[in-house]
Amino acid sequence: MIEQHVIDTLRRSFELHGFASIETRAVETVTQLLRKGEIDKEVYAVSRLQNDDAGKDAALALHFDLTVPFSRYVVENAGHLDFPFRRYQIQKAWRGERPQEGRMREFTQADFDVVGDGELSFKYDVELVLLAAAALSALPIPAFKLRVNNRKLAEGFYRGLGLADTAGVLRSIDKLEKIGAEAVAKLLEDELGATAEQAAAALALAQIRTEDLSFVDQVRALGVHDDLLDEGLAELAEVLGVAMRQAPGTVVADLSIARGLDYYTGTVVETVLLGHESLGSICSGGRYDALARKGNRIFPGVGLSIGVSRLVARILSQEFATASRAVPTVVYIALNSDEAWPQAQELAAGFRERGIATEVAVAAEKYGKQIKFADRRGIPFVWFVAEDGTHQVKDIRSGDQEAADPLNWMPPAADLAVSVVVGSPADR
Amino acid sequence: MIEQHVIDTLRRSFELHGFASIETRAVETVTQLLRKGEIDKEVYAVSRLQNDDAGKDAALALHFDLTVPFSRYVVENAGHLDFPFRRYQIQKAWRGERPQEGRMREFTQADFDVVGDGELSFKYDVELVLLAAAALSALPIPAFKLRVNNRKLAEGFYRGLGLADTAGVLRSIDKLEKIGAEAVAKLLEDELGATAEQAAAALALAQIRTEDLSFVDQVRALGVHDDLLDEGLAELAEVLGVAMRQAPGTVVADLSIARGLDYYTGTVVETVLLGHESLGSICSGGRYDALARKGNRIFPGVGLSIGVSRLVARILSQEFATASRAVPTVVYIALNSDEAWPQAQELAAGFRERGIATEVAVAAEKYGKQIKFADRRGIPFVWFVAEDGTHQVKDIRSGDQEAADPLNWMPPAADLAVSVVVGSPADR
């Protein structure tokens, strides 16, 4: 119920921003999946258990994310889509990783992307950061922080600094949190030929982290000049400026964020749940100037992916939220004779038409036993016909019982549907 | 959107009947999957693409239905469940079949089952037939017919007739629609040693089909006597009797229904979409006295499975229903200057808080061009600020335009959310 609540809430956020849902098959060709390289060890292959036509078909595998399938989808459907095309996609993905909390071999991702044909306004980068903040804010989770950087800023800075292998520098800086500043400096000097001063400047850049626009002056103070750097600074400043007004407290300019994948070309985002940093990023992505290619058409995109399973695992283990009851049922119709079952079913049909989730007992056991069963299932109300023929409804939680009209009774609005309550039962 | 509507509608029906949602992983061990035998050719195996630990792990495969995973789930969680346990499960499954309309290699099933611990009242058989009728009636599909039979009835009849291999007779009768009565009679005589009279009686039974209780007399008229037959007749009569009252016109006693699988032990159901019989059954299942076993505990169940993908494929190909628009967006906020973008985003945030799905233009192109873009995407309203500074909203469909208050405007209720409209656009 918690997971379904998270997914329903995300759907709602995405649709309020005009994103339409698509779904792609779980299985892709291996060729398609490995196009970006590097992750073949994590991929699960799929084949017929009794393969009578071995070799006849292309090798297949389960998708490991939703970006690669979406890229294929865009190419295949380019003729039918209106660009900029905005879609969300909430599906399972599979990776052969070592399982731990927040890292499962089968997991659900919620992706949202905008894709253009040939060009795509930078404004979408800003919009998607706002959407990420809005979507995460609607979930029953603690405070989070979107850590935003810009590849142009970083690459321009390294270039202006005289470090030509900007991708190599990015990959080294990406290891900062894991191996520390000293080890990264050594990497930069030993493997990329940086001087101590260049390494120090690259590390100084990565240490800049501001929740306002002051990061711009801090970068300028490092004395590096480059056109791409200027462009990146302006873009990141626009993201921060708008986010400070519209989603205050949720976004930080964090110049250490690199994102491992090479295809990001502008805005990059990772997200931490405050106090739960070890969980890893719960929402990541960015801008890629070529999400897909078809002949000489290029489809740039900007998109983010929310780790639904990762979040839900933490919500459950930390009791960030609980369901108000374990079953959808609001009322349990008890029987005073086995023969009353068909009439009880008709009563139930009327209740259900009014949106009241109803179960009917199957045997006229003692009322105490029937009430106990409903109570054990967490059903709040029991309905029965008293000896005087009146219909009675009992709130099992309070013990209150009153006569009720079967044609008009409604439970209190708070009990009608299962609600997801923020905080653990112990906190209430 | 249609598929999502179908799934949402089914969820609603199941929950109104007190069924809670569960989900099981897509991957099971091959041993678990092949426990019931017979279908190994259809199963898709799953393995690491670069298998460094070949042989270390148990062989894995994608589940081909939701019953086998549910059976495992019941055994694993027996200590935590309150029996009778009622769950629904809407998930993908995979089968290596020859693809055609209504038969896909990756498809979505919607299963609902009640499972007991040791025993399970027959009343649940009746309840589940009623739920199937209610759930299907809520979908945008043509009239359907639940074809119900009872294994006890058929087996008792064959036994009373003197045919000991009742399973063999059932398997032969199951081929009736495919190969015809003459070929089935030959099978019964050649392979099961039936006399011409026995074969004729078995075929006569299979030809009985009534929408009321008259099937009981028709069976009695065949002159066979058996206790199990009596029990089956009484059960089927109870299903029909209740269904005639509560779901009139949706259920037929059809004594040709056998269901291939051996583990059914009572009520069996198949469902046809009238006028679309070639699509195959859209909702099938029945009673099994041992859904699962754990040591000497036995878990009987009764359950049905709706073929969501099969139904959705037909809804789309026949335009049984269409979405009122292609995108969730209700209103498109046009820009009269690029600088107005952040304020437009703030306006959009206010709209979204009121539940209005909103998109914002990214560049102040000519209004005509901005309206054309919204129109192409199927968005009904465009919002803009006129030269005199007033906010204006234009219904693109009618061309009507009026001044509107950005803090209070609401679109007509019919436009707020995408609706699924029964019938094709051509019919409207």
Side-chain angles (χ1 to χ4, degrees):
Chain A
M1 282 170 175
I2 301 283
E3 180 173 41
Q4 195 61 64
H5 171 78
V6 167
I7 289 172
D8 287 346
T9 305
L10 291 173
R11 263 173 78 184
R12 174 106 184 120
S13 293
F14 299 153
E15 293 184 357
L16 281 173
H17 286 74
F19 287 70
S21 171
I22 71 157
E23 194 178 76
T24 59
R25 58 184 189 243
V27 176
E28 300 281 342
T29 62
V30 170
T31 319
Q32 182 71 34
L33 287 179
L34 300 188
R35 203 168 266 189
K36 310 279 184 189
E38 286 197 289
I39 45 128
D40 52 328
K41 279 198 183 172
E42 295 184 352
V43 174
Y44 280 109
V46 167
S47 59
R48 293 286 280 278
L49 193 56
Q50 288 206 340
N51 202 345
D52 298 337
D53 353 274
K56 248 179 64 184
D57 299 319
L60 301 174
L62 296 171
H63 59 220
F64 55 82
D65 74 2
L66 303 178
T67 303
V68 175
F70 180 52
S71 160
R72 174 187 59 74
Y73 176 92
V74 167
V75 170
E76 283 182 7
N77 296 283
H80 311 290
L81 305 177
D82 283 312
F83 294 98
F85 173 64
R86 42 175 74 206
R87 83 86 173 79
Y88 74 88
Q89 192 169 350
I90 304 179
Q91 279 186 250
K92 292 283 172 59
W94 292 265
R95 284 188 198 181
E97 298 185 294
R98 194 167 53 84
Q100 49 185 294
E101 188 182 323
R103 204 175 280 278
M104 287 153 250
R105 289 183 170 177
E106 174 172 311
F107 56 97
T108 300
Q109 294 283 106
D111 277 31
F112 49 104
D113 292 75
V114 180
V115 175
D117 182 1
E119 52 170 18
L120 184 72
S121 166
F122 164 73
K123 288 283 191 291
Y124 291 111
D125 292 40
V126 187
E127 189 188 336
L128 261 64
V129 168
L130 292 179
L131 170 49
L136 292 172
S137 297
L139 298 180
I141 53 173
F144 56 87
K145 203 70 87 176
L146 290 156
R147 303 163 70 192
V148 186
N149 194 5
N150 191 295
R151 276 284 173 90
K152 293 177 192 169
L153 190 166
E155 288 183 34
F157 186 89
Y158 305 147
R159 204 172 66 182
L161 203 56
L163 294 168
D165 181 3
T166 56
V169 180
L170 271 171
R171 268 195 298 276
S172 307
I173 293 291
D174 203 19
K175 295 176 181 153
L176 192 54
E177 282 190 19
K178 265 187 206 153
I179 63 174
E182 210 167 319
V184 170
K186 201 169 145 47
L187 269 182
L188 291 173
E189 290 171 39
D190 294 356
E191 297 188 5
L192 297 163
T195 64
E197 291 68 32
Q198 285 171 326
L203 280 167
L205 184 79
Q207 258 127 34
I208 295 173
R209 199 163 307 188
T210 75
E211 300 214 4
D212 57 22
L213 301 179
S214 60
F215 74 89
V216 179
D217 286 340
Q218 293 186 33
V219 175
R220 294 284 181 222
L222 296 175
V224 174
H225 298 281
D226 180 275
D227 288 349
L228 195 63
L229 166 62
D230 293 345
E231 207 181 304
L233 273 173
E235 288 191 358
L236 187 54
E238 187 163 346
V239 171
L240 255 282
V242 174
M244 281 165 64
R245 273 229 309 278
Q246 293 196 33
T250 62
V251 177
V252 56
D254 183 335
L255 277 52
S256 71
I257 297 300
R259 303 290 306 146
L261 293 164
D262 282 341
Y263 53 81
Y264 288 112
T265 50
T267 304
V268 282
V269 181
E270 288 189 0
T271 309
V272 285
L273 211 53
L274 299 180
H276 302 267
E277 288 75 7
S278 64
L279 189 60
S281 178
I282 56 164
C283 174
S284 311
R287 152 76 64 151
Y288 24 79
D289 281 344
L291 169 73
R293 289 170 194 276
K294 184 179 192 173
N296 53 13
R297 275 169 89 183
I298 295 179
F299 302 93
V302 54
L304 290 156
S305 178
I306 294 175
V308 173
S309 296
R310 177 171 289 189
L311 276 175
V312 169
R314 192 50 63 112
I315 291 171
L316 296 178
S317 73
Q318 302 294 311
E319 289 195 317
F320 292 152
T322 46
S324 60
R325 60 178 182 260
V327 294
T329 316
V330 186
V331 62
Y332 184 77
I333 302 180
L335 295 181
N336 49 15
S337 77
D338 287 351
E339 292 65 41
W341 187 83
Q343 295 94 294
Q345 281 294 342
E346 282 174 33
L347 183 62
F351 284 180
R352 291 175 188 132
E353 267 176 36
R354 301 206 292 279
I356 305 167
T358 307
E359 281 179 50
V360 178
V362 291
E365 298 174 301
K366 284 189 180 144
Y367 271 141
K369 205 172 168 192
Q370 296 188 61
I371 290 173
K372 211 166 162 186
F373 173 75
D375 192 28
R376 206 172 58 228
R377 270 178 68 72
I379 302 170
F381 295 97
V382 173
W383 189 280
F384 59 96
V385 180
E387 281 179 19
D388 63 3
T390 59
H391 285 264
Q392 301 273 329
V393 62
K394 185 188 186 77
D395 184 329
I396 305 183
R397 299 158 301 187
S398 65
D400 294 346
Q401 180 178 324
E402 53 180 18
D405 174 3
L407 298 178
N408 292 302
W409 177 75
M410 284 297 290
D415 289 325
L416 191 58
V418 177
S419 55
V420 167
V421 189
V422 175
S424 76
D427 299 339
R428 291 198 291 269
Chain B
M1 281 168 173
I2 302 282
E3 182 174 38
Q4 194 63 63
H5 171 78
V6 167
I7 289 172
D8 288 345
T9 304
L10 291 174
R11 262 174 78 183
R12 174 106 184 120
S13 294
F14 300 153
E15 293 183 357
L16 280 174
H17 286 74
F19 288 69
S21 171
I22 71 158
E23 194 177 75
T24 58
R25 59 183 190 243
V27 176
E28 299 281 343
T29 62
V30 170
T31 318
Q32 182 71 34
L33 287 178
L34 298 189
R35 202 167 268 190
K36 309 279 185 187
E38 284 198 288
I39 47 132
D40 52 329
K41 277 196 185 172
E42 296 184 352
V43 174
Y44 281 109
V46 167
S47 58
R48 294 283 282 279
L49 193 55
Q50 289 206 339
N51 201 344
D52 299 336
D53 354 273
K56 248 180 61 183
D57 300 319
L60 301 174
L62 296 171
H63 58 221
F64 55 82
D65 74 2
L66 303 179
T67 303
V68 176
F70 179 52
S71 160
R72 174 188 58 75
Y73 176 92
V74 168
V75 171
E76 284 183 6
N77 296 283
H80 311 290
L81 304 176
D82 283 313
F83 294 98
F85 174 64
R86 39 177 73 207
R87 82 86 171 82
Y88 74 89
Q89 192 169 351
I90 305 178
Q91 279 186 249
K92 293 283 173 56
W94 291 264
R95 284 187 200 183
E97 299 185 294
R98 195 168 52 84
Q100 50 185 295
E101 189 183 322
R103 207 176 279 276
M104 288 153 251
R105 290 183 170 177
E106 173 173 311
F107 56 97
T108 300
Q109 294 284 107
D111 278 32
F112 49 104
D113 292 75
V114 180
V115 175
D117 182 1
E119 52 171 19
L120 184 72
S121 166
F122 165 72
K123 288 283 190 292
Y124 290 111
D125 292 41
V126 187
E127 189 188 335
L128 261 63
V129 168
L130 292 179
L131 170 50
L136 292 171
S137 297
L139 299 180
I141 53 173
F144 57 87
K145 203 70 88 176
L146 290 155
R147 303 163 69 193
V148 186
N149 195 4
N150 190 296
R151 278 284 175 90
K152 294 177 191 169
L153 191 165
E155 288 183 35
F157 186 89
Y158 305 146
R159 204 172 65 180
L161 203 55
L163 293 168
D165 181 3
T166 56
V169 181
L170 271 171
R171 268 195 299 275
S172 307
I173 293 291
D174 203 20
K175 296 177 181 151
L176 191 54
E177 282 190 20
K178 267 187 206 151
I179 64 175
E182 210 166 320
V184 170
K186 202 169 143 48
L187 268 182
L188 291 172
E189 290 170 39
D190 294 356
E191 297 189 3
L192 296 164
T195 64
E197 291 67 31
Q198 286 172 324
L203 280 166
L205 185 78
Q207 258 129 33
I208 295 172
R209 198 163 309 188
T210 75
E211 300 212 5
D212 56 21
L213 301 179
S214 59
F215 73 89
V216 179
D217 287 340
Q218 293 187 34
V219 175
R220 296 281 181 223
L222 296 175
V224 175
H225 298 282
D226 182 275
D227 288 348
L228 194 62
L229 166 61
D230 293 344
E231 206 181 309
L233 273 173
E235 287 191 357
L236 187 55
E238 187 164 346
V239 170
L240 255 282
V242 175
M244 281 165 65
R245 272 229 311 278
Q246 292 196 34
T250 62
V251 177
V252 56
D254 185 334
L255 277 50
S256 72
I257 298 300
R259 303 290 306 146
L261 294 164
D262 281 342
Y263 53 82
Y264 289 112
T265 51
T267 304
V268 282
V269 181
E270 287 188 1
T271 310
V272 285
L273 211 53
L274 298 179
H276 301 268
E277 287 75 6
S278 65
L279 189 60
S281 178
I282 57 164
C283 175
S284 312
R287 153 75 64 151
Y288 23 80
D289 281 343
L291 169 73
R293 289 172 194 275
K294 185 179 190 174
N296 53 12
R297 273 168 89 183
I298 295 179
F299 303 92
V302 54
L304 291 156
S305 177
I306 295 176
V308 173
S309 296
R310 176 171 288 189
L311 276 175
V312 169
R314 191 50 63 111
I315 291 171
L316 296 178
S317 73
Q318 300 296 310
E319 288 195 318
F320 292 151
T322 47
S324 59
R325 59 178 183 262
V327 294
T329 316
V330 186
V331 62
Y332 185 76
I333 301 180
L335 295 179
N336 50 15
S337 77
D338 288 351
E339 292 66 40
W341 189 83
Q343 294 95 295
Q345 281 294 343
E346 283 174 31
L347 184 61
F351 284 0
R352 291 174 190 135
E353 268 176 34
R354 301 205 293 279
I356 306 166
T358 307
E359 282 180 49
V360 178
V362 291
E365 297 175 301
K366 283 187 182 149
Y367 272 142
K369 206 170 167 190
Q370 297 188 61
I371 290 172
K372 211 165 160 187
F373 174 75
D375 192 27
R376 204 171 60 229
R377 272 178 69 72
I379 302 170
F381 295 97
V382 173
W383 189 279
F384 59 96
V385 179
E387 281 179 18
D388 63 4
T390 59
H391 286 264
Q392 301 273 329
V393 63
K394 185 189 186 78
D395 183 329
I396 305 183
R397 298 158 302 185
S398 65
D400 294 346
Q401 180 179 325
E402 54 180 19
D405 174 3
L407 297 179
N408 292 302
W409 177 75
M410 284 296 291
D415 289 324
L416 190 59
V418 177
S419 55
V420 167
V421 190
V422 175
S424 77
D427 299 338
R428 291 199 291 270

Short mmCIF file of all heavy atoms in Angstrom, two decimals, chain A residues 233-263:
data_model
loop_
_atom_site.label_atom_id
_atom_site.label_comp_id
_atom_site.label_asym_id
_atom_site.label_seq_id
_atom_site.Cartn_x
_atom_site.Cartn_y
_atom_site.Cartn_z
N LEU A 233 28.16 28.42 -15.88
CA LEU A 233 27.85 29.23 -14.71
C LEU A 233 26.47 29.89 -14.85
O LEU A 233 25.68 29.91 -13.90
CB LEU A 233 28.92 30.32 -14.52
CG LEU A 233 30.16 29.92 -13.70
CD1 LEU A 233 31.19 31.05 -13.75
CD2 LEU A 233 29.79 29.61 -12.25
N ALA A 234 26.21 30.44 -16.04
CA ALA A 234 24.93 31.12 -16.27
C ALA A 234 23.77 30.13 -16.15
O ALA A 234 22.74 30.43 -15.55
CB ALA A 234 24.93 31.78 -17.65
N GLU A 235 23.95 28.92 -16.72
CA GLU A 235 22.88 27.93 -16.64
C GLU A 235 22.61 27.50 -15.19
O GLU A 235 21.46 27.47 -14.73
CB GLU A 235 23.23 26.69 -17.49
CG GLU A 235 23.14 26.95 -18.99
CD GLU A 235 23.22 25.67 -19.83
OE1 GLU A 235 23.38 24.57 -19.27
OE2 GLU A 235 23.11 25.79 -21.07
N LEU A 236 23.69 27.19 -14.49
CA LEU A 236 23.51 26.74 -13.11
C LEU A 236 22.89 27.86 -12.26
O LEU A 236 22.05 27.60 -11.38
CB LEU A 236 24.85 26.27 -12.52
CG LEU A 236 24.78 25.62 -11.13
CD1 LEU A 236 23.80 24.46 -11.09
CD2 LEU A 236 26.18 25.14 -10.70
N ALA A 237 23.30 29.11 -12.53
CA ALA A 237 22.73 30.24 -11.79
C ALA A 237 21.23 30.37 -12.07
O ALA A 237 20.45 30.71 -11.18
CB ALA A 237 23.46 31.53 -12.15
N GLU A 238 20.82 30.08 -13.32
CA GLU A 238 19.40 30.17 -13.62
C GLU A 238 18.61 29.08 -12.88
O GLU A 238 17.54 29.34 -12.32
CB GLU A 238 19.16 30.07 -15.14
CG GLU A 238 17.69 30.34 -15.48
CD GLU A 238 17.44 30.65 -16.97
OE1 GLU A 238 18.41 30.94 -17.69
OE2 GLU A 238 16.26 30.62 -17.37
N VAL A 239 19.15 27.85 -12.87
CA VAL A 239 18.49 26.77 -12.12
C VAL A 239 18.34 27.17 -10.65
O VAL A 239 17.26 27.11 -10.07
CB VAL A 239 19.29 25.44 -12.23
CG1 VAL A 239 18.73 24.40 -11.27
CG2 VAL A 239 19.27 24.92 -13.66
N LEU A 240 19.45 27.62 -10.05
CA LEU A 240 19.42 27.98 -8.63
C LEU A 240 18.47 29.14 -8.36
O LEU A 240 17.69 29.12 -7.41
CB LEU A 240 20.83 28.36 -8.16
CG LEU A 240 21.56 27.36 -7.30
CD1 LEU A 240 21.06 27.40 -5.86
CD2 LEU A 240 21.43 25.96 -7.86
N GLY A 241 18.54 30.16 -9.24
CA GLY A 241 17.72 31.36 -9.03
C GLY A 241 16.24 31.02 -9.02
O GLY A 241 15.50 31.43 -8.11
N VAL A 242 15.80 30.27 -10.00
CA VAL A 242 14.37 29.91 -10.06
C VAL A 242 14.00 28.98 -8.91
O VAL A 242 12.97 29.14 -8.25
CB VAL A 242 14.02 29.26 -11.43
CG1 VAL A 242 12.59 28.75 -11.43
CG2 VAL A 242 14.24 30.25 -12.56
N ALA A 243 14.86 28.01 -8.62
CA ALA A 243 14.57 27.04 -7.56
C ALA A 243 14.51 27.73 -6.19
O ALA A 243 13.68 27.37 -5.35
CB ALA A 243 15.61 25.93 -7.55
N MET A 244 15.37 28.72 -5.95
CA MET A 244 15.36 29.43 -4.66
C MET A 244 14.00 30.08 -4.43
O MET A 244 13.52 30.14 -3.29
CB MET A 244 16.44 30.51 -4.63
CG MET A 244 17.84 29.95 -4.36
SD MET A 244 19.14 31.15 -4.76
CE MET A 244 18.76 32.45 -3.56
N ARG A 245 13.40 30.57 -5.50
CA ARG A 245 12.10 31.22 -5.35
C ARG A 245 10.97 30.20 -5.26
O ARG A 245 10.06 30.33 -4.45
CB ARG A 245 11.81 32.12 -6.59
CG ARG A 245 12.37 33.52 -6.49
CD ARG A 245 11.31 34.57 -6.85
NE ARG A 245 10.67 34.29 -8.12
CZ ARG A 245 11.18 34.61 -9.31
NH1 ARG A 245 12.36 35.20 -9.39
NH2 ARG A 245 10.53 34.34 -10.40
N GLN A 246 11.02 29.17 -6.14
CA GLN A 246 9.85 28.29 -6.26
C GLN A 246 9.94 26.99 -5.47
O GLN A 246 8.92 26.33 -5.27
CB GLN A 246 9.58 27.99 -7.74
CG GLN A 246 9.14 29.24 -8.45
CD GLN A 246 8.49 28.94 -9.79
OE1 GLN A 246 7.84 27.93 -9.96
NE2 GLN A 246 8.67 29.84 -10.72
N ALA A 247 11.12 26.61 -5.07
CA ALA A 247 11.25 25.38 -4.28
C ALA A 247 12.32 25.63 -3.23
O ALA A 247 13.31 24.90 -3.15
CB ALA A 247 11.62 24.21 -5.19
N PRO A 248 12.11 26.65 -2.38
CA PRO A 248 13.16 27.07 -1.46
C PRO A 248 13.61 25.94 -0.55
O PRO A 248 12.80 25.16 -0.06
CB PRO A 248 12.51 28.21 -0.66
CG PRO A 248 11.04 28.10 -0.89
CD PRO A 248 10.88 27.46 -2.24
N GLY A 249 14.95 25.87 -0.36
CA GLY A 249 15.50 24.88 0.57
C GLY A 249 15.69 23.50 0.00
O GLY A 249 16.19 22.61 0.70
N THR A 250 15.33 23.29 -1.26
CA THR A 250 15.43 21.92 -1.80
C THR A 250 16.61 21.73 -2.76
O THR A 250 16.94 20.60 -3.10
CB THR A 250 14.15 21.51 -2.57
OG1 THR A 250 13.99 22.38 -3.68
CG2 THR A 250 12.91 21.61 -1.69
N VAL A 251 17.22 22.83 -3.21
CA VAL A 251 18.27 22.71 -4.24
C VAL A 251 19.56 23.37 -3.76
O VAL A 251 19.54 24.42 -3.14
CB VAL A 251 17.79 23.37 -5.55
CG1 VAL A 251 18.89 23.31 -6.61
CG2 VAL A 251 16.53 22.68 -6.07
N VAL A 252 20.67 22.71 -4.04
CA VAL A 252 21.98 23.28 -3.72
C VAL A 252 22.88 23.15 -4.96
O VAL A 252 22.82 22.13 -5.66
CB VAL A 252 22.60 22.56 -2.49
CG1 VAL A 252 22.69 21.06 -2.71
CG2 VAL A 252 23.97 23.12 -2.15
N ALA A 253 23.64 24.22 -5.24
CA ALA A 253 24.67 24.12 -6.29
C ALA A 253 25.83 23.38 -5.66
O ALA A 253 26.42 23.87 -4.69
CB ALA A 253 25.08 25.51 -6.75
N ASP A 254 26.12 22.19 -6.17
CA ASP A 254 27.17 21.36 -5.57
C ASP A 254 28.14 20.98 -6.68
O ASP A 254 27.87 20.10 -7.49
CB ASP A 254 26.54 20.12 -4.93
CG ASP A 254 27.58 19.25 -4.22
OD1 ASP A 254 28.77 19.32 -4.60
OD2 ASP A 254 27.19 18.53 -3.31
N LEU A 255 29.29 21.68 -6.70
CA LEU A 255 30.19 21.53 -7.84
C LEU A 255 31.04 20.27 -7.80
O LEU A 255 31.88 20.05 -8.66
CB LEU A 255 31.04 22.81 -8.01
CG LEU A 255 30.31 23.92 -8.79
CD1 LEU A 255 28.94 24.25 -8.24
CD2 LEU A 255 31.14 25.18 -8.91
N SER A 256 30.75 19.39 -6.81
CA SER A 256 31.43 18.09 -6.80
C SER A 256 30.67 17.04 -7.60
O SER A 256 31.20 15.97 -7.88
CB SER A 256 31.59 17.59 -5.36
OG SER A 256 30.32 17.20 -4.83
N ILE A 257 29.43 17.35 -7.95
CA ILE A 257 28.61 16.36 -8.66
C ILE A 257 29.11 16.18 -10.09
O ILE A 257 29.17 17.15 -10.86
CB ILE A 257 27.13 16.80 -8.68
CG1 ILE A 257 26.58 16.88 -7.25
CG2 ILE A 257 26.28 15.84 -9.53
CD1 ILE A 257 26.62 15.57 -6.48
N ALA A 258 29.48 14.96 -10.45
CA ALA A 258 29.99 14.72 -11.80
C ALA A 258 29.08 13.78 -12.59
O ALA A 258 28.87 13.97 -13.77
CB ALA A 258 31.40 14.13 -11.72
N ARG A 259 28.43 12.79 -11.93
CA ARG A 259 27.68 11.73 -12.61
C ARG A 259 28.63 10.95 -13.50
O ARG A 259 29.21 11.50 -14.42
CB ARG A 259 26.51 12.24 -13.45
CG ARG A 259 25.50 13.06 -12.74
CD ARG A 259 24.63 12.29 -11.76
NE ARG A 259 23.97 11.15 -12.38
CZ ARG A 259 23.74 10.00 -11.72
NH1 ARG A 259 24.11 9.85 -10.48
NH2 ARG A 259 23.12 9.01 -12.33
N GLY A 260 28.71 9.65 -13.27
CA GLY A 260 29.68 8.86 -14.00
C GLY A 260 29.50 8.84 -15.51
O GLY A 260 30.47 8.84 -16.25
N LEU A 261 28.28 8.85 -15.99
CA LEU A 261 28.08 8.56 -17.41
C LEU A 261 28.54 9.69 -18.32
O LEU A 261 28.27 10.86 -18.08
CB LEU A 261 26.60 8.25 -17.66
CG LEU A 261 26.13 6.95 -16.99
CD1 LEU A 261 24.63 6.89 -16.93
CD2 LEU A 261 26.68 5.75 -17.74
N ASP A 262 29.19 9.34 -19.38
CA ASP A 262 29.80 10.33 -20.27
C ASP A 262 28.80 11.14 -21.07
O ASP A 262 29.14 12.21 -21.56
CB ASP A 262 30.76 9.62 -21.23
CG ASP A 262 32.07 9.30 -20.53
OD1 ASP A 262 32.35 9.92 -19.48
OD2 ASP A 262 32.81 8.47 -21.04
N TYR A 263 27.55 10.63 -21.26
CA TYR A 263 26.69 11.32 -22.20
C TYR A 263 26.00 12.56 -21.65
O TYR A 263 25.35 13.28 -22.38
CB TYR A 263 25.69 10.37 -22.87
CG TYR A 263 24.85 9.53 -21.96
CD1 TYR A 263 23.72 10.04 -21.35
CD2 TYR A 263 25.18 8.19 -21.74
CE1 TYR A 263 22.93 9.24 -20.52
CE2 TYR A 263 24.40 7.40 -20.91
CZ TYR A 263 23.28 7.93 -20.31
OH TYR A 263 22.52 7.16 -19.50
#
